[in-house]
Amino acid sequence: MIDISRLYCGIAGSNDALRYGRATAPRRRAPVMVWNVTRRCNLACHHCYSASDGARASNELSTDEARTMIDQLAAYGCPVLILSGGEPLMRPDLIQLVAHATAAGLHVALSSNGTLLDDAMACRLKEAGVAYAGISLDGLGHTHDALRGSPGSFFTALDGIRAARRAGIKTGVRFTIMRSNADDIPGIFDLLEAEDIPRVCFYHLVYAGRGAALAKYDLDHALTRCVVDGIIARTAALQAHGTREVLTVDNHADGAYLYLRMQREGHPRAAETLELLRRVGGNGSGQTIGCISWDGTVYPDQFWRTNALGSMHERPFGEIWDDVTNPLMRDLKEKQRHVTGKCTRCRFLDICGGNMRARAEAATGMLWGVDPMCYLTETEIA
């Protein structure tokens, strides 16, 4: 995640301590974990990385198995558990699992399409301990509805955001950038102000699940730069009307691009931004981020489902995560030895980490191929 509001505007974020830590502190060992609590979903989004639909997976973790998994994550020291799907609100025991995770000391966040989130459910989630709800809005009105495959889902999701806000849950918008919806980004900023929504995350498309079929409709490099510049500009303007957190996600070239822009502008926080980006280290798949699927399979991140690390039916989480006899886990901890192409020449490798391996593998067929959505030029990386 590239925290534009923090790095460019100096606005303190709610996760600064987790994201950046202290310069003298060792890097956090325990990862933030995404748990796909179910495969079921009431929508059929064109870009869904988990290819979820209305069918419940027969091998979904039971309530008892889920509690055991949560206890293992807490014992390992994982700071955050993000509940995703499918649509997590379709899991009947979700509230009791949220309460269990909260009691175990985990910071619990919800990733939802928002269409099932009414006032009653929002209050139950708040009482159980959900600290943050990220609701997906992939455009305005018909643009969102078309990508979600459900007429009216935009306004239903907006109602869900309002319900979460009324319940006292910190709420943000999640927006996946595609060629078909990039023109709606200014309208999303307008919506943040109109609805007093405190946070927005702009996700770059990752070619996973049904999203793999959209790779040919992704932004080209020139348009990506234009979109990122627009996000930076609107973020700066937004702060004059109240503090908002604005982040871009899943393209770590954004960090280098932001720094280069700040350097050109003579921005007073350019050096600090470079230092903070180095502390994060870019892509953290298999290190600072991980995923557990509905069946207990552990992956390096939520998108990279071609490379399973192990099953929690067979081994505890800690054993899977610490197992450097697994070639992938070993190599992820020493990325600079394995990246290829332009990454080997890039002066920003320490703040990018080779970008998204899932997107690189999907595009090139190679585990350590170059992520095609790195839009930095040879001059910029030299």
Side-chain angles (χ1 to χ4, degrees):
M1 288 185 167
I2 309 302
D3 191 340
I4 304 294
S5 48
R6 170 66 178 88
L7 300 174
Y8 193 75
C9 302
I11 304 298
S14 56
N15 293 318
D16 280 4
L18 174 62
R19 185 171 294 121
Y20 305 116
R22 300 191 308 274
T24 57
R27 185 162 178 162
R28 178 181 288 276
R29 179 179 67 119
V32 169
M33 292 302 297
V34 177
W35 175 32
N36 300 112
V37 303
T38 183
R39 186 180 177 277
R40 286 189 68 197
C41 188
N42 58 320
L43 302 180
C45 304
H46 296 181
H47 55 297
C48 178
Y49 70 80
S50 61
S52 296
D53 54 31
R56 179 183 181 277
S58 60
N59 55 357
E60 191 174 283
L61 290 177
S62 68
T63 301
D64 287 342
E65 289 170 334
R67 286 197 190 101
T68 298
M69 178 268 292
I70 289 168
D71 290 342
Q72 290 180 14
L73 296 182
Y76 192 80
C78 295
V80 178
L81 179 62
I82 302 172
L83 306 176
S84 187
E87 170 50 52
L89 295 182
M90 295 192 76
R91 179 157 177 144
D93 59 356
L94 183 71
I95 298 297
Q96 58 180 292
L97 293 175
V98 169
H100 187 83
T102 302
L106 292 165
H107 183 94
V108 180
L110 178 74
S111 178
S112 170
N113 64 41
T115 61
L116 303 178
L117 187 55
D118 57 16
D119 285 314
M121 176 57 73
C123 289
R124 294 177 68 200
L125 290 168
K126 172 67 174 177
E127 185 178 349
V130 167
Y132 175 76
I135 309 299
S136 295
L137 289 180
D138 293 309
L140 302 172
H142 175 73
T143 303
H144 172 90
D145 292 355
L147 286 167
R148 296 278 160 185
S150 176
S153 58
F154 171 79
F155 290 106
T156 310
L158 187 55
D159 286 342
I161 291 173
R162 292 165 176 162
R165 299 278 289 140
R166 284 192 293 268
I169 300 173
K170 182 180 178 180
T171 310
V173 169
R174 304 169 74 251
F175 182 105
T176 300
I177 307 168
M178 290 168 272
R179 198 180 304 171
S180 61
N181 66 0
D183 288 343
D184 283 11
I185 291 176
I188 292 294
F189 276 99
D190 294 340
L191 185 71
L192 295 183
E193 293 188 79
E195 296 287 336
D196 194 27
I197 301 169
R199 192 172 195 258
V200 60
C201 296
F202 292 101
Y203 288 74
H204 293 266
L205 179 67
V206 181
Y207 314 148
R210 285 195 292 271
L214 301 182
K216 59 185 177 182
Y217 303 113
D218 202 0
L219 279 61
D220 61 25
H221 289 183
L223 185 53
T224 301
R225 297 168 81 98
C226 182
V227 165
V228 173
D229 278 332
I231 290 171
I232 295 170
R234 283 300 301 260
T235 302
L238 194 63
Q239 307 312 326
H241 305 285
T243 301
R244 299 286 190 281
E245 292 179 63
V246 181
L247 304 93
T248 66
V249 190
D250 296 334
N251 192 337
H252 302 278
D254 289 351
Y257 185 73
L258 176 67
Y259 166 70
L260 289 169
R261 172 173 166 154
M262 294 172 73
Q263 196 177 46
R264 288 195 307 272
E265 294 174 348
H267 197 296
R269 278 188 293 274
E272 178 194 11
T273 288
L274 185 61
E275 169 60 23
L276 292 176
L277 289 169
R278 281 177 172 152
R279 288 191 208 173
V280 177
N283 177 263
S285 298
Q287 297 181 66
T288 56
I289 183 75
C291 176
I292 298 173
S293 196
W294 47 79
D295 62 353
T297 303
V298 181
Y299 296 99
D301 63 52
Q302 65 269 43
F303 302 101
W304 205 7
R305 290 167 180 267
T306 56
N307 295 279
L309 301 175
S311 171
M312 294 190 66
H313 289 296
E314 300 170 359
R315 289 192 293 167
F317 173 77
E319 289 185 14
I320 296 171
W321 203 252
D322 290 337
D323 185 6
V324 291
T325 65
N326 181 316
L328 178 58
M329 286 299 278
R330 181 191 64 232
D331 293 350
L332 285 172
K333 295 180 184 352
E334 47 183 21
K335 295 176 184 176
Q336 295 194 21
R337 294 180 55 187
H338 304 287
V339 294
T340 62
K342 65 190 287 187
C343 293
T344 64
R345 305 185 296 276
C346 184
R347 60 180 168 136
F348 296 118
L349 182 57
D350 61 342
I351 70 171
C352 172
N355 221 334
M356 292 296 291
R357 292 296 89 216
R359 189 165 50 220
E361 187 180 36
T364 68
M366 297 183 294
L367 192 70
W368 292 100
V370 174
D371 184 340
M373 285 310 295
C374 174
Y375 52 90
L376 301 179
T377 66
E378 287 291 338
T379 300
E380 288 169 331
I381 70 174

